[in-house]
Amino acid sequence: MADVIVYSTDPCPFCSRAEALLKHRGIPFTEVLIPRTDHDGRDRLVAETGGYTFPQVLINGTNIGGFDQLSALDQSGELATLLAD
């Protein structure tokens, strides 16, 4: 199974949606929670993912973006392909 990491914060409805989608599909993932007030954490997020917004979803080390991108990959069937590689 692929290595899936979700960088999230609280409160974050898009983070919750991304995690719910992954759970619904039975896809195990690791959540990295970065508090909104953690400016060093935000800097690490940008350094590690290239993204500044939450969530940021990585599959096997590749940033696929946030919830909208994750959902689009799921709907197109490409998410299953990424997870199988």
Side-chain angles (χ1 to χ4, degrees):
M1 180 62 53
D3 181 37
V4 179
I5 300 172
V6 178
Y7 287 86
S8 64
T9 193
D10 276 331
C12 175
F14 289 104
C15 299
S16 298
R17 290 177 189 161
E19 292 172 4
L21 187 153
L22 293 169
K23 288 177 185 175
H24 177 73
R25 295 285 184 231
I27 301 166
F29 64 92
T30 301
E31 178 186 22
V32 178
L33 184 62
I34 299 174
R36 289 190 182 271
T37 57
D38 183 354
H39 300 291
D40 291 335
R42 182 64 70 111
D43 290 343
R44 283 192 316 275
L45 171 76
V46 173
E48 292 175 21
T49 70
Y52 189 76
T53 60
F54 290 101
Q56 292 296 314
V57 181
L58 280 71
I59 299 176
N60 292 329
T62 299
N63 186 3
I64 58 133
F67 170 72
D68 290 339
Q69 292 80 15
L70 178 66
S71 180
L73 288 171
D74 181 51
Q75 291 175 6
S76 72
E78 291 179 60
L79 180 59
T81 302
L82 285 173
L83 295 170
D85 289 344

